[in-house]
Amino acid sequence: MKAFKLKNMKFKLCYLLIVSFIFVSCDEALEEEPFTQIGTDFFYQNDTDALAAVTAVYAQLKSGVGYYRQQFLSNAFAASDQGASSWKHGNFRRGTIANTDQNLPNFWKEAYVGIKDANNVIARVAQTSNIDEELKWRVIGEARFLRGLNYFNLVRCFGEVPLRTTPVQPGEEGLPVSPIEDIYEVIINDFQFAADNCWGFNETRNGYINNIGRVTKASAHAMLAKTYLQIASSKRSAMAGVLGNERYNGISESPESYYRMAKEQCDLALNENGYQLVSNLEDWKNIFSASNGNNPELLFDVQGSSIVEQGTAVSNLFCPRNAGLSGGGWGGTNKMQGGFINNNIDKTDIRFQNSIIQNFQDATKTYVLNPNSTGYIRTITATGAANGNLNVVYTSKYIDTNATTEYTSQQNWHIIRLAEVYLMRAEALAEINQDPAMANADLSTLRNRVSMDNFDGTGLSMEEFRHAILHERFQELSLEGHRFFDLTRMGVYDEYCRSSYNNTVGARQPEDYTWPIPLIESSANGNID
């Protein structure tokens, strides 16, 4: 049973904070307002108020349909080289996203509501006197981690965005966009503050417990490492001439300096207590069990619950519809296509074979994975008659057979897990030393735990290694939301999408490395061009 209070309490204050801003009257909806400018007059008096307020910031990660609950995940999936999402995400798949795209506004809005809520917690909890001092700084650390996470997603998706770090004052205008170096400075400072002030896994101090599911020192160090790696590889590829990452040339420090800082933060994350890698294939598969959330390989998750209004849509997004593997209604949104499987991964990798659905049934048909692992052979269940092929493959990482509706899955969304820390350190070590063999130990650790042979980077060029690390990252982290960002930061977005989709659908231009700010924001905020 998951212990995090986010799953077990009714979130009364959460609803007051979020619902009051999202649900407006028809008259109010006619007045355009920048989503970066939503204010609140709440004031926190004690520890109960402070904890409830920061819990509301966590809840915002899965509020509505725009963020980790649904659209953001499908946006990032469809924009990568992996395969089809719903028809609504066709522009993401083709690289033709416009500022009017229906999938942009909700993600933008809900990220900024989360930032607004975090800013209020940061500002007001610091002024609260009737609260345990260590708990106060922990709560602020959690809020700063969540603000950093929101801005990290925004800057990776949109590039330059408005940067607000204090509560909105009445009458304030919308902000212009800020350079990415300013945004990253806030992100880095937020994650560092969280690493300094958040507590360890399930740690207790002064009678307060850091409930499972909340930010820990390890998760903050890991996200800081991920931020440094994003900057390092994006600037490295920009310096090599990748125009899609040209904005990263505005960051003054060298790529090597960021790779070094990424490696240091990985070391710190791996030295924290409470987390460990599994030691065999069966346990590796169980990492993704719906009933095994917050296990020792998971550093930070968006929490799912079977309680009404507290679940996620993760199972429906990634499992075939009406197969008994997720809730009812719709399903099967995100699936891998044959071109991607054939051209861009090793489909014999044991991690791939053990993270895809081998067979399933819907109301009338049976589906069995074909020998090439690129789709399913379909038959009529009642007669066994052949019924053509389904040329996509589904992941098995998000099955939840107990979900009763689309939004009652207890499946967590894994924002970052321990295996990625090993992958990041391997990449950083190879880049720092310009020697792929420096990645051998960390990559072999991940492979050996599922009985695979060692990784050996000896003799690889750095270009070959970068393709190899993309391969290892997919095999370990498939369909966990990293692929689009890996392809763009490494500067190979066009190359890989063409390989999966062909030269027409797969063509990517420099402007496709980020998405346009939604029209609803730019039309309401006169300071955005």
Side-chain angles (χ1 to χ4, degrees):
M1 182 176 294
K2 301 185 179 181
F4 185 25
K5 290 181 181 178
L6 187 63
K7 294 171 172 276
N8 301 319
M9 63 190 291
K10 295 297 183 182
F11 293 107
K12 292 180 180 178
L13 182 57
C14 166
Y15 292 143
L16 287 173
L17 287 169
I18 296 174
V19 175
S20 62
F21 294 117
I22 294 177
F23 294 96
V24 295
S25 72
C26 294
D27 290 339
E28 289 170 321
L30 296 175
E31 297 179 7
E32 288 186 312
E33 180 182 21
F35 284 114
T36 57
Q37 305 301 301
I38 305 172
T40 181
D41 293 325
F42 279 94
F43 183 75
Y44 311 118
Q45 303 287 338
N46 51 43
D47 56 350
T48 301
D49 292 345
L51 286 167
V54 77
T55 295
V57 189
Y58 283 98
Q60 186 58 34
L61 294 174
K62 61 175 184 179
S63 178
V65 298
Y67 206 6
Y68 281 107
R69 198 180 195 189
Q70 188 173 339
Q71 282 181 334
F72 170 57
L73 304 182
S74 295
N75 291 353
F77 178 86
S80 74
D81 62 340
Q82 294 167 100
S85 190
S86 76
W87 63 269
K88 295 180 180 179
H89 291 85
N91 289 325
F92 287 81
R93 182 174 180 270
R94 293 186 296 268
T96 56
I97 309 165
N99 65 356
T100 55
D101 193 285
Q102 62 185 321
N103 296 291
L104 294 175
N106 284 327
F107 164 39
W108 177 274
K109 174 185 69 176
E110 286 157 20
Y112 271 107
V113 172
I115 290 167
K116 177 268 302 176
D117 288 346
N119 282 339
N120 281 300
V121 172
I122 293 162
R124 291 185 167 88
V125 170
Q127 301 167 4
T128 304
S129 58
N130 189 25
I131 184 174
D132 177 84
E133 196 69 12
E134 285 192 287
L135 179 64
K136 172 191 289 189
W137 296 112
R138 190 199 90 183
V139 166
I140 295 173
E142 292 178 51
R144 291 192 64 169
F145 176 96
L146 295 167
R147 182 176 70 181
L149 175 63
N150 280 298
Y151 273 125
F152 187 51
N153 287 332
L154 286 166
V155 74
R156 289 188 300 166
C157 290
F158 296 99
E160 297 81 0
V161 298
L163 180 63
R164 181 174 290 282
T165 58
T166 57
V168 178
Q169 300 302 314
E172 281 193 73
E173 294 183 350
L175 296 174
V177 299
S178 290
I180 64 164
E181 50 266 38
D182 293 348
I183 300 168
Y184 275 114
E185 182 179 3
V186 168
I187 295 167
I188 289 167
N189 288 339
D190 279 350
F191 287 149
Q192 185 61 66
F193 186 94
D196 292 340
N197 290 278
C198 289
W199 299 358
F201 180 83
N202 222 18
E203 182 179 355
T204 299
R205 298 187 193 179
N206 303 333
Y208 298 94
I209 187 170
N210 194 36
N211 305 98
I212 292 173
R214 290 189 181 273
V215 179
T216 65
K217 286 184 176 293
S219 52
H221 285 304
M223 285 304 301
L224 190 50
K226 191 172 179 71
T227 303
Y228 286 141
L229 194 67
Q230 171 77 23
I231 297 171
S233 51
S234 297
K235 180 160 187 182
R236 176 195 59 74
S237 62
M239 293 172 64
V242 175
L243 296 180
N245 286 329
E246 190 173 25
R247 55 174 50 90
Y248 282 84
N249 285 323
I251 295 175
S252 58
E253 290 82 358
S254 68
E256 182 184 345
S257 67
Y258 284 103
Y259 282 122
R260 289 188 181 279
M261 288 186 285
K263 187 267 181 187
E264 291 168 359
Q265 292 299 318
C266 287
D267 289 341
L268 291 169
L270 293 173
N271 285 332
E272 285 292 321
N273 294 324
Y275 303 96
Q276 62 181 13
L277 295 173
V278 298
S279 58
N280 58 68
L281 179 60
E282 286 304 310
D283 287 345
W284 184 86
K285 290 189 289 185
N286 194 44
I287 291 171
F288 312 104
S289 171
S291 60
N292 195 30
N294 305 306
N295 64 68
E297 280 225 16
L298 304 177
L299 296 178
F300 186 71
D301 278 9
V302 175
Q303 304 292 303
S305 171
S306 58
I307 299 172
V308 176
E309 297 299 330
Q310 294 186 32
T312 69
V314 172
S315 293
N316 276 74
L317 290 175
F318 292 93
C319 291
R321 184 180 182 181
N322 296 328
L325 305 176
S326 60
W330 53 269
T333 304
N334 302 325
K335 52 266 185 182
M336 293 174 281
Q337 290 190 163
F340 167 72
I341 295 169
N342 276 330
N343 298 332
N344 285 336
I345 67 169
D346 176 7
K347 57 190 175 184
T348 67
D349 190 303
I350 195 170
R351 291 166 294 183
F352 174 71
Q353 288 296 327
N354 282 276
S355 63
I356 58 175
I357 295 175
Q358 300 286 325
N359 56 79
F360 64 94
Q361 290 183 338
D362 59 24
T364 60
K365 300 178 181 67
T366 297
Y367 303 78
V368 177
L369 189 70
N370 68 34
N372 292 322
S373 300
T374 56
Y376 299 97
I377 300 169
R378 183 169 51 200
T379 58
I380 304 297
T381 303
T383 65
N387 192 244
N389 300 310
L390 180 64
N391 296 315
V392 297
V393 172
Y394 294 98
T395 182
S396 60
K397 286 185 173 180
Y398 304 114
I399 292 172
D400 186 355
T401 57
N402 293 320
T404 56
T405 69
E406 298 89 340
Y407 294 106
T408 55
S409 174
Q410 61 180 320
Q411 266 287 5
N412 292 353
W413 181 258
H414 315 311
I415 289 180
I416 193 162
R417 58 186 179 91
L418 192 62
E420 189 176 7
V421 181
Y422 284 89
L423 286 159
M424 292 191 297
R425 188 168 68 175
E427 182 179 343
L429 282 168
E431 294 286 355
I432 291 165
N433 295 281
Q434 292 294 287
D435 180 5
M438 294 298 294
N440 289 355
D442 283 331
L443 297 184
S444 295
T445 294
L446 297 180
R447 294 167 65 90
N448 292 166
R449 83 200 212 278
V450 292
S451 302
M452 291 180 63
D453 293 338
N454 286 340
F455 175 86
D456 187 4
T458 305
L460 293 181
S461 68
M462 285 304 298
E463 191 64 24
E464 291 170 331
F465 169 76
R466 289 167 189 143
H467 286 284
I469 195 67
L470 279 172
H471 164 84
E472 290 295 323
R473 284 183 63 84
F474 175 81
Q475 305 297 159
E476 178 64 41
L477 305 173
S478 64
L479 278 74
E480 294 180 42
H482 306 289
R483 184 71 174 182
F484 168 67
F485 303 112
D486 284 343
L487 296 182
T488 52
R489 71 180 177 85
M490 298 288 271
V492 294
Y493 191 31
D494 180 66
E495 172 189 347
Y496 275 72
C497 287
R498 286 176 186 267
S499 179
S500 288
Y501 299 141
N502 68 47
N503 289 336
T504 302
V505 176
R508 296 293 186 269
Q509 306 303 321
E511 59 267 25
D512 299 324
Y513 273 61
T514 53
W515 307 335
I517 291 175
L519 180 62
I520 58 161
E521 179 65 32
S522 58
S523 63
N525 183 351
N527 287 315
I528 295 179
D529 295 331

